[in-house]
Amino acid sequence: MPKTLYLHIGTPKTGTTSLQKFLNINSSLLLSNNYYFFESNGFHIPYLFNKSSSAKWFERKMNKNRIEIEELLKDEMLKKFDEYNKYNWIMSSEHFWEINDNPDEIKNMSVFFKTYFDEIKILVTFRNQIDYFISSY
């Protein structure tokens, strides 16, 4: 069983994509230090837990229904859990924040990850709201 999951929640415009690129580029170095960066389309992981209609666009993009997508994503993750079960894991997504207002989705995510990890550390990046607003225009 992996030891620790470092779950990065990147709120909008906080450099999440840059962080993910850095982790991907340095994945070999991370592995040599007992860290596995789970690289997947950033939306994949949160999609397993976000049951709102706001995720319908992902079904259209994948040209599959929710159940088919969930099975594919869980299969992908389970294979990686088996392959990298001795490593600490790092996951990052700018879409985790979308489930922050639904206690059931947060609980489902927690229960799922606790099955595979001894400890879960959550890292959240924020940006000054005024800076965010200005950068949006």
Side-chain angles (χ1 to χ4, degrees), residues 14 88 115:
T14 58
N88 294 303
T115 304

Side-chain angles (χ1 to χ4, degrees), residues 41-59:
N41 177 324
F43 196 75
H44 284 185
I45 304 161
Y47 183 83
L48 291 173
F49 311 103
N50 183 348
K51 304 301 182 190
S52 75
S53 60
S54 68
K56 290 284 186 193
W57 69 268
F58 191 62
E59 294 173 29

Side-chain angles (χ1 to χ4, degrees), residues 53-121:
S53 60
S54 68
K56 290 284 186 193
W57 69 268
F58 191 62
E59 294 173 29
R60 289 188 299 274
K61 175 184 174 188
M62 299 289 289
N63 197 28
K64 297 187 182 308
N65 68 41
R66 176 173 286 282
I67 294 170
E68 293 171 315
I69 295 171
E70 286 180 0
E71 288 176 11
L72 287 171
L73 299 177
K74 283 183 181 176
D75 286 347
E76 175 188 356
M77 287 186 72
L78 293 175
K79 287 177 187 172
K80 296 295 183 180
F81 284 146
D82 287 342
E83 187 176 352
Y84 295 98
N85 65 355
K86 306 262 190 240
Y87 293 84
N88 294 303
W89 276 47
I90 302 169
M91 291 184 180
S92 174
S93 177
E94 53 279 345
H95 296 284
F96 278 120
W97 68 272
E98 293 175 358
I99 62 173
N100 70 354
D101 62 348
N102 187 321
D104 291 334
E105 292 175 357
I106 293 170
K107 183 177 180 181
N108 290 340
M109 184 172 72
S110 175
V111 168
F112 178 80
F113 286 133
K114 283 180 179 179
T115 304
Y116 300 98
F117 299 98
D118 297 321
E119 186 175 9
I120 300 170
K121 294 188 178 193

